[in-house]
Amino acid sequence: MIGGLFIYNHKGEVLISRVYRDDIGRNAVDAFRVNVIHARQQVRSPVTNIARTSFFHVKRSNIWLAAVTKQNVNAAMVFEFLYKMCDVMAAYFGKISEENIKNNFVLIYELLDEILDFGYPQNSETGALKTFITQQGIKSQHQTKEEQSQITSQVTGQIGWRREGIKYRRNELFLDVLESVNLLMSPQGQVLSAHVSGRVVMKSYLSGMPECKFGMNDKIVIEKQGKGTADETSKSGKQSIAIDDCTFHQCVRLSKFDSERSISFIPPDGEFELMRYRTTKDIILPFRVIPLVREVGRTKLEVKVVIKSNFKPSLLAQKIEVRIPTPLNTSGVQVICMKGKAKYKASENAIVWKIKRMAGMKESQISAEIELLPTNDKKKWARPPISMNFEVRQRRGLEQCVLGKTLEILPVNLCTYHLADDETETPERSDFNSQTHFFPCRLPPRN
Amino acid sequence: MTDSKYFTTTKKGEIFELKAELNSDKKEKKKEAVKKVIASMTVGKDVSALFPDVVNCMQTDNLELKKLVYLYLMNYAKSQPDMAIMAVNTFVKDCEDPNPLIRALAVRTMGCIRVDKITEYLCEPLRKCLKDEDPYVRKTAAVCVAKLHDINAQLVEDQGFLDTLKDLISDSNPMVVANAVAALSEIAESHPSSNLLDLNPQSINKLLTALNECTEWGQIFILDCLANYTPKDDREAQSICERVTPRLSHANSAVVLSAVKVLMKFMEMLSKDLDYYGTLLKKLAPPLVTLLSAEPELQYVALRNINLIVQKRPEVLKHEMKVFFVKYNDPIYVKLEKLDIMIRLASQANIAQVLAELKEYATEVDVDFVRKAVRAIGRCAIKVEQSAERCVSTLLDLIQTKVNYVVQEAIVVIKDIFRKYPNKYESVIATLCENLDSLDEPEARAAMIWIVGEYAERIDNADELLESFLEGFHDESAQVQLQLLTAIVKLFLKKPTETQELVQQVLSLATQDSDNPDLRDRGYIYWRLLSTDPVAAKEVVLAEKPLISEETDLIEPTLLDELICCIGTLASVYHKPPSAFVEGGRGVVHKSLPPRTASSESTESPETAPAGAPPGEQLDTVPTQGDLLGDLLNLDLGPPVSGPPLATSAVQMGAVDLLGGGLDSLMGDEPEGIGAPSFVAPPAAAVPANLGAPMGSGLSDLFDLTSGVGTLSGSYVAPKAVWLPAMKAKGLEISGTFTRQAGSISMDLQLTNKALQVMTDFAIQFNRNSFGLAPAAPLQVHAPLSPTQTVEISLPLSTAGSVMKTEPLNSLQVAVKNNIDVFYFSTLYPLHILFVEDGKMDRQMFLATWKDIPNENEAQFQIRDCPLNAEAVSSRLQSSSIFTVARRNVEGQDMLYQSLKLTNGIWVLAELRIQPGNPSFTLSLKCRAPEVSQHVYQAYETILKN
């Protein structure tokens, strides 16, 4: 199991050091600093073995978190734990920075004592932790016996992520669907591979212990239900999508999903990621991006990028951002675009083109002249792909969702979110939002 | 709330000031002071001097302050054990506190204080906490038992905590169950033989119920524990699988991977015809692919595991090639792993896409990645014949880029392609030759030289090309020198008229001016061959080469099975068995897939070709150490090395190995030992001396030892036999025997000087042998050995040496050097020195394994004239690590079922039938490697009759 946990700043100074096992000595702290943080070479692996001691590390901004062990631990668990540790810290004091860690080091030690015992991860849900790790130690002295046993039963219980007795005047529920279309396109414009990975993020502000159910137009479910009412479904134009795979937050009853394919759960309070899904079938690309790159001599590059929206004209994509990477030796850029604003950002080595909104079946283009410094630098330009971000925001009342009206979400039609709330009050409003991140294509090779 | 100020106090006299503050009456000030102490502790300052003052602050109502003091105690108690006792009272009191959080805190902290006196006091509170009404306290106490076990295992057993812990597996609270499982699993690891976890269908059912209810971490503990269970039949395996599959949709990747581990392991037991088998196979792919959308570090862990899964069950992901395409923003470690898997999945169906991708990668920025991509193109060509032509043209395109490292890498792989498809792509040689000057890496130079030598008859200026390399012969690396030597000999055999001078030149460079014994030896062999029988030389040197295998870098099958049982863990990330990186006994228990029992001890598989054989001829066909081991274990598992057997043996000539492979450093020490060669033919004396000696003495010793076996003393250590008579070794007589004590093998030697001169500078070396026996330390003869003097030496042996199957299996060829000469002899070691101490198999495993080994592997032997009864037999065998797993009495006969394990992980199962009153026993042996049976039987004989 995990033998010790260290947090370093970018210089390799120790900010937090907690040793759980006798086989980890203080010298392990220095070994990691010398061999990894101060190493000249780029990090070649997130797992390093130094003198029969294994170090797992993750980096958050310029802070290093390292877990240390001498045993054959579950490596996936160690990384999951490190991410969780970051989430917990962020939930307590915001951004993970040297400043914040130093300011909260007592709290961090207290958390580390609670969520890791003898190197075994324990309950690490912030919802539960916040009930008794408050940094106001005195408070716990005045708890009644009932309160105390409520805390302990929650921390160890089946619903470790939610505390009892939550009350809201307004019951609200927000759903965000964040999708990223991962597309590999050859410089010749051929789609090599495409998949959509989506995340459903829920913000729940509901009272009590609400029993929730979440549905979607998963092909398997629709086909199951649709046996009798096949006509109806085709009439309403409901499209089902074939989900390759999905994973759920630990609040979702997995065995129920496995047997009935229904998603039922008692949500944690506040924001959490309910599910992730991945689909590869029938992906309709929301945009086409067509780049043209022409080299003019050794010091000039002409780039033209055309984007075409490829969805129903009635829909609106918002906050479109296209990023066109530029070579490292760029000295100046002139841009002309038909729509929106474009700017060359030297610090990011990219031209950023922003369009507020764009309806379906439209087209827009940008052209840029990139001046290059003559260079004999051997270091090659990595030619990053053009990337693109946009949002589709739709607000619907929950009643409509429950009635099963189709919500069109781009780029895949992942529709009919319905939230049934059998026992407790019905949430008053839900908000729905979809964001898409898009890596359309590789730049053509330079010759 | 800015605690960061505590980090900044670095002035002098700090300790003194802190002391004053800690003793302050004001609570706030005290707390401030303790925070400062903790901050100093964090950055590595020694604040142990403040121990009594900090402990004084322990008795407080302030929980935050209390936690800080506890933190301090955990760090320094060990250095101040006497003063730590001061804290005991508070701990004991806190364990009785009405607040469960405080009770748990106390017992948690106490378990972290590794001071004997404190542990004594811990027992009573721990006993209470294990039965506490509050689940939070119980789950903390469960882990505390593991902590206590780490400090004092005996105490835990004496106090009966293990039983209480077992009871907690049936606790009503899922988290208590999970922690109890974690604690028990850890304790069980240090007692591999004990059946601590006692997994049976009932307890498994409890675990599966808890699995649905506990935290994500608890699910991991339970799944990892389930993976150690062996279901009794395929139906039980299936029902567990059904209840584990829902975990594949968990957001936590570790839960998913642990579930995959359980499924991969239990699938082994399911029949492939079962519908369910197919369903399960389909269910495995999507979650594995989803892991690739996780954070990069987890992707890396997932990819390393997928690499294993793809080798074990290629069908799982065969349609998912595209998801392994490299993304621009993948970290380099993810890119390299993806590339590896892409090659494994490459097939005729997807080769076009793969090639297009690889070509793209070959123009990337990262040098390692580009090299690997170029190499991958070559591997595709070898793997998928239909693509070979496209691969070659892609490689030629890449050579045209003139990027130095790309060109060199391409030439290395083109050489392999030539090997695989002879006489097909030679038209590209001209292009390759154009790049001759730009090659500066030994591997690429060697590859190019091989090509020139191999196709010397089609390259007009082959002699010029090779001659140009010859100029700087001594500056080349050994690899290039060897290759150049072989290439020129080939050239000579093909075009003898023009190249006689060249071959003379290279032979004299290799034999006279080189310090490298490999090179010298190969030089001599060629020289002798050429001077005695050029026709034979032609047959040997230009022999048809065995095919090269399609897959490279495959993990040796037994290791692969062990790693499959370690999915998700560090072992699966390193691709090494836990024993290779975990110290001590913990976690080193070999795991194996249910119906298979073979597991391997091989640490790494260094891809060292035997130095004595020409690398050109051997590249890629030389099985790695692991492969050889695999062959030995299970002949049908090794990668196919096809080709005319005659040619193979001609190339791999045992003699070459004997001369060069094992003994190079010995020879290297003493260049004059061989004598100055004459110019025309190499010295005749040197070769027979080296070749002849081992054969002769080997045979005679074979008889020596077998006849000696009958007269052994009772300690299972054979009396020393003469291994090397003085007349064969210029006065040095060596006798010796082998012993095994407490897990370490040694060779006890007696050296006698029967010559008239003093002997010094002893050294010993073994040739490669079946079980990798090698000296673990140099031969230490401290004083010079004067005439008639005798010295006794115990030479520790390890089994980490390189492995080559010998005939007979247990023969060992040894070279001993002293100031006079180098001597060779061979001996046989009794197999029981290789029986390891943890060779006891549990009953169920024994049964399953026995059934699983095919009947043709069974061998039956008679042990005659042994007057012992069953008990005596059992105990005597046990002291030599042959363990009786079960005993049965059938119709008056005693049947003993026994298991033993060899150092390389081979299990041997035995059934010994003893009839009372009859001194003849019947021994049936079953083993996956039947060739060891004969030797195991001899070991039985030896042990029982002495």
Side-chain angles (χ1 to χ4, degrees):
Chain A
M1 284 308 113
I2 297 172
L5 208 137
F6 308 124
I7 302 180
Y8 302 83
N9 66 9
H10 66 287
K11 284 184 267 181
E13 292 164 350
V14 191
L15 303 178
I16 295 287
S17 131
R18 176 76 160 89
V19 172
Y20 292 94
R21 298 249 169 175
D22 205 39
D23 54 5
I24 301 300
R26 181 86 202 174
N27 51 359
V29 184
D30 303 323
F32 183 75
R33 174 183 30 243
V34 173
N35 288 289
V36 181
I37 302 182
H38 291 170
R40 293 223 185 102
Q41 238 202 341
Q42 189 196 353
V43 176
R44 300 305 270 199
S45 162
V47 185
T48 325
N49 193 308
I50 308 162
R52 290 197 149 229
T53 309
S54 300
F55 295 80
F56 299 78
H57 74 264
V58 301
K59 242 185 128 178
R60 288 289 180 269
S61 62
N62 54 9
I63 297 294
W64 299 75
L65 283 93
V68 192
T69 183
K70 283 206 163 182
Q71 297 168 27
N72 183 27
V73 295
N74 188 321
M77 184 186 80
V78 175
F79 281 123
E80 283 284 3
F81 176 79
L82 287 175
Y83 302 144
K84 194 61 155 205
M85 176 76 206
C86 294
D87 292 348
V88 170
M89 289 198 291
Y92 269 94
F93 53 74
K95 193 173 174 281
I96 295 173
S97 63
E98 180 170 354
E99 177 85 24
N100 278 346
I101 288 172
K102 279 185 169 174
N103 278 337
N104 293 285
F105 82 98
V106 173
L107 169 74
I108 294 173
Y109 275 124
E110 205 174 328
L111 286 170
L112 280 177
D113 198 40
E114 187 57 45
I115 60 179
L116 210 52
D117 190 4
F118 201 42
Y120 290 107
Q122 304 291 307
N123 193 333
S124 48
E125 285 298 317
T126 22
L129 289 170
K130 278 189 171 169
T131 59
F132 66 108
I133 294 184
T134 54
Q135 274 290 283
Q136 275 124 35
I138 311 105
K139 189 186 154 200
S140 53
Q141 301 299 301
H142 302 303
Q143 286 161 342
T144 63
K145 203 156 183 225
E146 289 76 59
E147 277 172 335
Q148 285 165 1
S149 73
Q150 211 176 46
I151 291 173
T152 57
S153 77
Q154 195 218 325
V155 175
T156 60
Q158 293 179 27
I159 307 164
W161 51 87
R162 188 181 180 91
R163 66 192 156 90
E164 300 226 21
I166 299 172
K167 279 218 171 65
Y168 284 101
R169 211 157 45 82
R170 269 158 67 99
N171 281 305
E172 289 181 311
L173 195 64
F174 302 87
L175 264 183
D176 282 350
V177 177
L178 307 159
E179 287 190 322
S180 106
V181 179
N182 293 288
L183 184 70
L184 267 183
M185 206 188 263
S186 72
Q188 292 74 34
Q190 188 193 1
V191 176
L192 297 173
S193 85
H195 78 263
V196 173
S197 53
R199 303 191 296 138
V200 178
V201 176
M202 188 178 246
K203 285 179 208 146
S204 82
Y205 305 103
L206 304 171
S207 308
M209 282 288 176
E211 188 67 38
C212 296
K213 233 176 163 177
F214 175 81
M216 54 187 176
N217 53 341
D218 175 359
K219 197 167 188 178
I220 299 175
V221 178
I222 302 274
E223 276 169 9
K224 233 189 224 170
Q225 297 167 341
K227 270 174 198 157
T229 55
D231 298 341
E232 226 173 283
T233 31
S234 61
K235 238 184 268 164
S236 64
K238 253 198 238 173
Q239 273 180 302
S240 61
I241 57 156
I243 288 181
D244 286 27
D245 187 38
C246 40
T247 58
F248 296 99
H249 185 267
Q250 62 166 322
C251 66
V252 176
R253 295 182 189 93
L254 294 180
S255 31
K256 208 154 180 188
F257 177 74
D258 194 55
S259 56
E260 302 164 24
R261 238 180 141 82
S262 76
I263 304 165
S264 65
F265 56 98
I266 296 172
D269 196 39
E271 184 174 333
F272 72 103
E273 190 180 288
L274 177 67
M275 73 176 280
R276 283 183 186 218
Y277 59 89
R278 186 168 54 79
T279 164
T280 46
K281 310 228 166 51
D282 312 322
I283 294 170
I284 306 152
L285 299 174
F287 284 95
R288 295 271 303 160
V289 177
I290 304 140
L292 285 166
V293 181
R294 201 166 71 91
E295 253 175 294
V296 187
R298 306 221 66 191
T299 56
K300 205 166 148 192
L301 214 59
E302 283 180 7
V303 180
K304 194 167 116 182
V305 178
V306 181
I307 59 171
K308 289 180 181 168
S309 58
N310 192 25
F311 43 85
K312 275 192 212 162
S314 60
L315 282 167
L316 218 53
Q318 296 178 326
K319 292 190 189 166
I320 301 158
E321 188 185 292
V322 180
R323 229 161 232 280
I324 303 156
T326 54
L328 301 174
N329 56 339
T330 302
S331 61
V333 176
Q334 275 112 46
V335 228
I336 312 158
C337 55
M338 290 171 11
K339 223 178 161 196
K341 282 179 191 163
K343 225 182 188 175
Y344 167 62
K345 293 195 174 167
S347 59
E348 296 165 43
N349 284 315
I351 300 167
V352 180
W353 178 25
K354 287 181 178 168
I355 305 170
K356 273 193 185 140
R357 59 181 74 85
M358 190 166 172
M361 307 315 269
K362 289 267 160 59
E363 184 179 319
S364 187
Q365 75 166 37
I366 183 172
S367 37
E369 267 184 31
I370 301 170
E371 304 275 347
L372 301 175
L373 287 172
T375 164
N376 47 7
D377 195 358
K378 281 274 164 64
K379 215 175 159 191
K380 269 208 290 179
W381 180 39
R383 287 187 296 118
I386 298 176
S387 70
M388 179 169 182
N389 268 306
F390 61 90
E391 275 180 29
V392 176
R393 191 174 274 276
Q394 293 176 341
R395 243 165 226 243
R396 294 283 163 102
L398 187 79
E399 308 87 81
Q400 279 175 293
C401 298
V402 175
L403 287 174
K405 288 216 175 145
T406 311
L407 293 177
E408 291 272 353
I409 308 163
L410 287 167
V412 253
N413 298 316
L414 182 75
C415 5
T416 30
Y417 291 86
H418 93 211
L419 276 150
D421 195 338
D422 306 332
E423 280 142 46
T424 49
E425 303 147 77
T426 314
E428 282 164 21
R429 139 186 125 81
S430 75
D431 192 3
F432 185 81
N433 172 21
S434 157
Q435 264 181 29
T436 304
H437 187 64
F438 188 45
F439 278 117
C441 58
R442 293 179 180 157
L443 282 181
R446 298 211 294 154
N447 297 313
Chain B
M1 199 174 72
T2 50
D3 285 349
S4 60
K5 63 174 183 277
Y6 303 115
F7 280 92
T8 53
T9 51
T10 47
K11 49 186 186 281
K12 274 189 180 175
E14 191 191 359
I15 298 277
F16 187 74
E17 264 177 43
L18 279 174
K19 212 177 177 79
E21 285 175 40
L22 284 169
N23 290 314
S24 154
D25 296 332
K26 292 194 189 107
K27 270 189 182 169
E28 265 317 294
K29 201 151 197 187
K30 251 189 194 176
K31 197 162 118 186
E32 297 285 287
V34 177
K35 282 189 182 176
K36 279 185 205 165
V37 172
I38 300 291
S40 308
M41 192 175 88
T42 299
V43 296
K45 273 184 230 160
D46 183 15
V47 283
S48 60
L50 295 166
F51 200 88
D53 309 284
V54 177
V55 172
N56 272 338
C57 304
M58 189 172 166
Q59 235 160 1
T60 169
D61 293 338
N62 185 319
L63 198 56
E64 192 192 352
L65 180 57
K66 192 181 256 295
K67 284 183 177 173
L68 289 173
V69 175
Y70 280 1
L71 188 63
Y72 179 89
L73 265 174
M74 285 186 269
N75 261 289
Y76 287 113
K78 226 167 120 185
S79 58
Q80 311 258 346
D82 294 326
M83 278 198 270
I85 290 297
M86 291 168 28
V88 162
N89 265 338
T90 321
F91 277 128
V92 175
K93 216 177 93 198
D94 280 357
C95 287
E96 306 270 331
D97 197 279
N99 186 340
L101 292 172
I102 293 188
R103 290 203 295 279
L105 177 66
V107 78
R108 185 165 68 214
T109 312
M110 245 175 130
C112 295
I113 297 178
R114 304 176 66 91
V115 174
D116 285 344
K117 284 178 193 154
I118 293 207
T119 22
E120 283 166 31
Y121 286 98
L122 174 60
C123 291
E124 274 323 297
L126 178 58
R127 197 186 313 283
K128 269 187 210 150
C129 288
L130 280 167
K131 303 215 158 119
D132 200 285
E133 52 168 19
D134 195 292
Y136 183 78
V137 180
R138 290 202 300 278
K139 72 108 183 160
T140 311
V143 176
C144 190
V145 176
K147 291 179 189 169
L148 189 59
H149 187 269
D150 192 40
I151 304 170
N152 189 341
Q154 196 56 46
L155 187 69
V156 170
E157 276 173 51
D158 295 347
Q159 296 277 333
F161 285 139
L162 293 182
D163 294 325
T164 325
L165 202 53
K166 278 188 211 165
D167 294 343
L168 288 184
I169 291 200
S170 316
D171 200 280
S172 59
N173 184 293
M175 195 162 177
V176 178
V177 178
N179 276 5
V181 167
L184 275 172
S185 303
E186 178 171 344
I187 295 171
E189 265 182 19
S190 49
H191 297 276
S193 52
S194 75
N195 197 8
L196 235 176
L197 269 162
D198 189 30
L199 295 174
N200 53 46
Q202 287 77 39
S203 59
I204 290 290
N205 198 27
K206 278 178 202 155
L207 293 184
L208 287 168
T209 313
L211 188 61
N212 284 326
E213 293 168 348
C214 61
T215 64
E216 46 194 327
W217 314 115
Q219 296 183 20
I220 300 169
F221 306 153
I222 292 178
L223 288 168
D224 284 351
C225 172
L226 275 178
N228 289 328
Y229 175 65
T230 308
K232 62 178 191 309
D233 54 26
D234 55 339
R235 277 177 56 198
E236 192 189 1
Q238 178 174 346
S239 84
I240 296 175
C241 287
E242 278 166 0
R243 293 177 70 178
V244 166
T245 33
R247 299 296 121 199
L248 295 175
S249 304
H250 203 288
N252 188 316
S253 312
V255 175
V256 176
L257 269 178
S258 291
V260 169
K261 164 165 57 192
V262 175
L263 297 175
M264 281 292 286
K265 196 175 163 187
F266 290 5
M267 256 171 113
E268 238 3 56
M269 300 187 65
L270 301 177
S271 149
K272 292 198 175 180
D273 316 326
L274 224 58
D275 284 349
Y276 183 69
Y277 181 87
T279 320
L280 203 53
L281 217 51
K282 271 192 213 119
K283 279 194 174 172
L284 274 176
L288 287 173
V289 174
T290 299
L291 291 176
L292 301 183
S293 327
E295 288 84 346
E297 292 87 2
L298 269 172
Q299 277 187 52
Y300 174 72
V301 174
L303 286 164
R304 293 292 284 174
N305 278 288
I306 288 172
N307 199 326
L308 297 172
I309 293 169
V310 167
Q311 288 183 59
K312 181 76 194 167
R313 297 195 181 280
E315 63 271 33
V316 175
L317 288 166
K318 68 175 177 219
H319 299 302
E320 302 288 350
M321 168 62 86
K322 283 182 176 179
V323 301
F324 298 103
F325 285 179
V326 167
K327 284 189 202 153
Y328 155 73
N329 51 350
D330 282 335
I332 183 68
Y333 49 81
V334 168
K335 284 185 177 172
L336 291 170
E337 291 306 317
K338 280 188 172 173
L339 190 50
D340 228 28
I341 294 170
M342 278 173 68
I343 302 161
R344 292 207 193 285
L345 292 178
S347 67
Q348 199 184 335
N350 55 26
I351 195 74
Q353 281 179 329
V354 174
L355 261 182
E357 280 297 297
L358 292 176
K359 197 174 173 184
E360 189 77 22
Y361 303 162
T363 63
E364 283 244 10
V365 180
D366 189 282
V367 176
D368 283 352
F369 183 61
V370 171
R371 281 174 179 273
K372 201 166 181 175
V374 176
R375 210 161 267 231
I377 296 174
R379 277 167 69 179
C380 284
I382 290 164
K383 203 174 163 184
V384 185
E385 189 168 354
Q386 292 81 354
S387 75
E389 195 153 345
R390 273 219 297 274
C391 293
V392 172
S393 79
T394 307
L395 288 169
L396 283 179
D397 288 351
L398 289 171
I399 288 175
Q400 298 304 346
T401 63
K402 302 278 175 198
V403 178
N404 191 278
Y405 54 84
V406 174
V407 173
Q408 309 210 38
E409 208 64 46
I411 286 181
V412 172
V413 292
I414 285 181
K415 174 210 64 193
D416 288 346
I417 296 176
F418 283 172
R419 274 292 309 280
K420 168 88 181 185
Y421 310 109
N423 306 318
K424 217 168 164 191
Y425 299 111
E426 284 69 28
S427 53
V428 309
I429 290 176
T431 320
L432 303 185
C433 290
E434 286 165 21
N435 292 285
L436 214 59
D437 300 331
S438 64
L439 309 180
D440 52 12
E441 291 163 18
E443 205 182 349
R445 285 175 85 87
M448 193 63 220
I449 292 169
W450 181 86
I451 293 172
V452 175
E454 188 64 21
Y455 297 102
E457 69 272 29
R458 308 188 197 188
I459 305 171
D460 294 335
N461 58 344
D463 50 343
E464 282 169 38
L465 292 174
L466 293 175
E467 197 170 2
S468 69
F469 281 102
L470 211 54
E471 282 160 21
F473 188 75
H474 290 297
D475 302 328
E476 299 284 0
S477 72
Q479 187 185 12
V480 180
Q481 291 178 331
L482 284 166
Q483 203 51 259
L484 195 52
L485 172 63
T486 306
I488 292 179
V489 172
K490 280 183 191 164
L491 172 70
F492 172 70
L493 290 167
K494 289 176 180 177
K495 301 180 181 172
T497 46
E498 310 110 80
T499 56
Q500 200 158 4
E501 203 173 311
L502 196 60
V503 82
Q504 290 274 347
Q505 205 182 340
V506 76
L507 285 174
S508 80
L509 276 171
T511 52
Q512 286 179 308
D513 302 338
S514 169
D515 289 341
N516 183 334
D518 284 352
L519 185 64
R520 271 203 320 263
D521 289 348
R522 196 189 290 186
Y524 281 129
I525 287 167
Y526 283 147
W527 205 330
R528 273 185 72 81
L529 268 170
L530 293 173
S531 58
T532 50
D533 188 354
V535 179
K538 208 162 184 167
E539 270 173 35
V540 171
V541 179
L542 302 179
E544 197 177 318
K545 281 160 285 293
L547 290 178
I548 61 176
S549 66
E550 290 181 356
E551 300 280 348
T552 42
D553 304 335
L554 277 183
I555 294 177
E556 181 266 310
T558 43
L559 176 61
L560 180 63
D561 283 357
E562 187 178 356
L563 293 180
I564 289 288
C565 297
C566 295
I567 285 177
T569 68
L570 260 182
S572 72
V573 174
Y574 292 148
H575 289 186
K576 287 180 189 171
S579 51
F581 59 91
V582 176
E583 273 170 16
R586 190 175 271 188
V588 189
V589 189
H590 281 298
K591 296 187 173 167
S592 53
L593 291 175
R596 299 164 185 268
T597 50
S599 61
S600 160
E601 208 173 58
S602 79
T603 45
E604 271 167 84
S605 48
E607 308 242 348
T608 44
E617 267 97 338
Q618 298 244 328
L619 264 167
D620 290 329
T621 41
V622 177
T624 60
Q625 181 197 346
D627 290 335
L628 268 170
L629 203 63
D631 282 345
L632 192 62
L633 287 172
N634 201 337
L635 287 163
D636 55 359
L637 283 176
V641 181
S642 47
L646 255 175
T648 318
S649 62
V651 174
Q652 288 195 327
M653 284 186 299
V656 177
D657 266 333
L658 189 70
L659 288 171
L663 307 173
D664 48 353
S665 60
L666 254 183
M667 310 274 280
D669 289 342
E670 205 174 56
E672 300 86 0
I674 283 163
S678 66
F679 197 81
V680 188
V687 177
N690 291 340
L691 277 175
M695 304 301 169
S697 60
L699 268 177
S700 61
D701 283 327
L702 198 145
F703 292 113
D704 277 1
L705 202 88
T706 36
S707 61
V709 160
T711 57
L712 293 176
S713 65
S715 62
Y716 319 134
V717 178
K720 292 199 174 81
V722 176
W723 285 345
L724 182 71
M727 52 176 286
K728 277 192 184 157
K730 300 186 180 164
L732 175 68
E733 186 185 87
I734 299 178
S735 53
T737 184
F738 293 91
T739 60
R740 182 185 181 93
Q741 262 174 343
S744 51
I745 307 169
S746 53
M747 186 191 226
D748 291 348
L749 291 168
Q750 183 178 320
L751 308 180
T752 310
N753 183 351
K754 295 190 173 171
L756 295 171
Q757 74 184 104
V758 175
M759 293 179 180
T760 55
D761 303 329
F762 285 95
I764 192 162
Q765 198 151 2
F766 295 175
N767 198 356
R768 297 192 297 160
N769 53 71
S770 311
F771 293 94
L773 282 174
L779 186 66
Q780 300 263 327
V781 182
H782 294 294
L785 199 59
S786 39
T788 71
Q789 200 188 343
T790 294
V791 62
E792 299 262 2
I793 300 151
S794 179
L795 178 72
L797 304 184
S798 77
T799 50
S802 37
V803 172
M804 187 184 74
K805 197 174 163 186
T806 57
E807 192 57 49
L809 202 62
N810 60 338
S811 75
L812 179 67
Q813 295 173 329
V814 184
V816 172
K817 190 200 87 151
N818 63 9
N819 57 329
I820 299 169
D821 207 339
V822 183
F823 311 106
Y824 302 90
F825 63 88
S826 94
T827 176
L828 297 172
Y829 44 90
L831 215 62
H832 70 250
I833 62 163
L834 300 170
F835 297 174
V836 296
E837 279 70 16
D838 65 344
K840 182 160 186 172
M841 201 180 254
D842 76 60
R843 272 163 187 250
Q844 274 182 343
M845 181 77 104
F846 184 93
L847 272 174
T849 313
W850 185 274
K851 274 190 214 145
D852 196 55
I853 298 178
N855 281 334
E856 56 266 26
N857 281 16
E858 186 169 345
Q860 219 170 54
F861 304 94
Q862 293 292 326
I863 301 173
R864 294 182 206 286
D865 300 316
C866 185
L868 302 170
N869 65 11
E871 275 82 7
V873 166
S874 177
S875 72
R876 188 176 280 199
L877 290 173
Q878 174 133 10
S879 51
S880 288
S881 296
I882 301 176
F883 298 94
T884 304
V885 177
R887 188 179 156 185
R888 215 151 56 99
N889 194 298
V890 183
E891 298 165 355
Q893 300 184 19
D894 275 314
M895 310 282 276
L896 296 180
Y897 296 92
Q898 298 175 316
S899 73
L900 64 93
K901 191 168 83 169
L902 301 179
T903 46
N904 60 357
I906 297 180
W907 286 93
V908 180
L909 308 186
E911 182 200 60
L912 190 61
R913 196 186 314 153
I914 302 172
Q915 275 177 311
N918 182 351
S920 271
F921 302 165
T922 309
L923 176 69
S924 304
L925 294 174
K926 258 192 166 185
C927 177
R928 283 181 198 285
E931 53 269 66
V932 304
S933 298
Q934 174 67 29
H935 303 280
V936 171
Y937 157 63
Q938 276 169 13
Y940 263 87
E941 280 260 352
T942 315
I943 297 163
L944 288 175
K945 293 198 176 160
N946 294 288

